[in-house]
Amino acid sequence: MKAKLNIHGVTLEGFAQGGVQTSIFVPEARAMFDVGVDIGAPVDDIFVTHGHPDHIGALHSVVARRITRKNSPAPGKTLKPLRIHVPAGIAQGVSAALSAMDGVFGDRHRPVYEVVAHVPGGAPIDMGHHIHIEPVHTFHGVASCGWVVKRLVKKLKPEFAHLSGKEIGDLARAGHEVGISQWATELVVPGDTMIDFLIRSPEAQRAKVLLHEVTFWDDKSSVEKCRAFGHTHVDEMIEHCEKFCGAALVLVHRSMRYTRQECEAIVKRRFPAAMLPKIHMFDDGQLCKSAATMI
């Protein structure tokens, strides 16, 4: 069963199981982040964080599904290509792998995709509806990049902050521009990464919603071993979680050697009390709830 979490205007649907499958659909952005399993999400854009099988293993299935009757275009129209956004370091390999599968599928498959290479800090992808998605640097053992979802919002100009609602309305009706447009960080999806991402990224620290992996949850896997594989240990997250000043810190990618209940108990017992209302877990379909109500 897919997990589903609605938090602060952001919806997450899918899976985030360390070493097994990660596929997260965000309908507000009309985007899928990673494709460890095909969850049938209606998207034209997939954002891959890195090339490990649990994050990209179902890509060929998603591409093939684009030509099924369910996804076929209306008569006289052309099917829009699926845009597959990947770290530049794996773009050639992804293209080659998909081309190979084209031949395997034979006459039941027509290529309807394009692989788009990105480097951290590169140009944002315009998703329409005042939403951009930008590639950012992450800290993993292979070529990787995270993704930042931004929405263009209008905020009151600082010089009018002291005015009442009526006064602001009067100014607006008189033709004064009382607002200013700016990009607000709605969601950050780094994929697999060390805690360095949270420590070093101001954008991650102030995001409305941050998905951050915590793969290992006990001392059977040391912090050093965890870092050697490019992952985050729960001890590191406990130490640094208060750097996050946004609305929701969503912990993902737990190793399946731990149960959901074990991890929830650790959060409630060991994390700073002030952070508990912000902390959520998202993984495999069990009830998603804030750490403040975990039992």
Side-chain angles (χ1 to χ4, degrees), residues 19 63 73 99 108 112 133 154 188 226 236 245 252 266 277 281 293:
V63 170
S99 294
R108 296 194 63 185
V112 284
I133 298 182
K154 202 162 191 176
V188 176
C226 184
E236 297 176 294
C245 56
V252 298
I266 290 169
M281 297 190 71
T293 61

Side-chain angles (χ1 to χ4, degrees), residues 200-211:
R200 300 188 190 186
S201 172
E203 195 146 50
Q205 295 171 8
R206 64 174 181 262
K208 180 189 289 186
V209 179
L210 169 63
L211 273 62

